Amino acid sequence: MSIPGTPTSNDACLSIVHSLMCHRQGGESETFAKRAIESLVKKLKEKKDELDSLITAITTNGAHPSKCVTIQRTLDGRLQVAGRKGFPHVIYARLWRWPDLHKNELKHVKYCQFAFDLKCDNVCVNPYHYERVVSPGIDLSSLTIGHTVGSGPGSSRIVKDEYDFDGPQSHPSIESGHGLQTIQHPPSSSRPPPPESFSSPSLLTPSEASTSAAAPAFPTIAAASGAPDYWCSIAYFEMDVQVGETFKVPSSCHIVTVDGYVDPSGGDRFCLGQLSNVHRTEAIERARLHIGKGVQLECKGEGDVWVRCLSDHAVFVQSYYLDREAGRAPGDAVHKIYPSAYIKVFDLRQCHRQMQQQAATAQAAAAAQAAAVAGNIPGPGSVGGIAPAISLSAAAGIGVDDLRRLCILRMSFVKGWGPDYPRQSIKETPCWIEIHLHRALQLLDEVLHTMPIADPQPLD
């Protein structure tokens, strides 16, 4: 069905393109939109019924049912238009429905037979065969539709996934699929809170902690040791090789900047640009050029950590705190922090509770496993309440390094890793840092002294 005055598949390509251009949403440049639409119309010229379905869907804004509109799937699943690559169903959904769409927010309707996720040889690009879904718990009210790049922390910034184009990235979302997840963290439209001023990190007394509103959900940290001299140490890596010496940040410097410039490092600034590596490749050199202003790491209170992205490119973070906030298992996600974003990436009390729980679980499992070996298999009401149905060997296999991971942040500049990228591990990214949080490691040492556990497992 078509409305009077609209073209049909029998009309000239130019006429069809002109009509479809009138319905674009304005998120892309006119040149890009025209190239994308021309490319699609030419591909469909030999499939008149599908071209008519596209025209009907677009010109009626989806008011009438339409069939699948398909193009051939490429080897990597992406389509190149005007020198830019992106997933085809996302490109056309942005053009005609949601200009601020992120590629992981689309879910096909039930009657779509060639949806992108179905992995068929042909891919349906009918924008009205997809629905937009947003992950629960994500507030989109602060996001602005548009493609302008502002300069202030409250501006709308839609940036490239990496410096080689992989589509506009604008919304927080969770990468669908199996295994590792990519979770987006764009900047808020409101100005991020100013850095807070703290005296040297000190331990809350039980009475102070019980009345503190900072972390009502977590138990008080009542350890005897004082604050460490350095609140964190930062090691810089290129691929799987550490470059330069580890940089230690004094507890008196609550904010440290890690950037790509060549100034001497010291105090509250770690400059990566001046570090040399005889094995550095051209690809690593190119990536390093985009670190720019880098990031700020801020220590708050007893040891909570916040990150502010100062770079023009996103940074990618491995954070168990953010995993938990997103409802993911620890280590099950990569968090993309956008330029100007200011976000909490570590909570000391949560970390302390996790290490206590994991250590207790490992200790109880080891005891239950020993009892099982002795022929006395415990039930659910025994030590730690661990039933034989639970894998005792897995729980007992928790080592010191498993707990140390709770106290470590990893962050890659410019390049991401995971299922959405050609790199599967942070050790395949060109430039990244590993941040050891000393207060958390200090607490871990105390936990291990009170409940010793198994030998360490190697870090990934």
Side-chain angles (χ1 to χ4, degrees), residues 201-221:
S202 59
L203 198 65
L204 292 182
T205 64
S207 59
E208 289 173 328
S210 62
T211 57
S212 171
F218 300 107
T220 301
I221 300 174

Side-chain angles (χ1 to χ4, degrees), residues 236 238 243-245 247 259-266 269-277 280 288:
Y236 170 65
E238 293 177 358
V243 177
E245 296 182 0
F247 182 81
D259 60 42
Y261 300 126
V262 296
D263 300 322
S265 297
R269 189 176 176 200
F270 185 19
C271 296
L272 306 179
Q274 46 90 24
L275 299 176
S276 59
N277 177 9
R280 183 172 293 151
R288 280 167 51 84

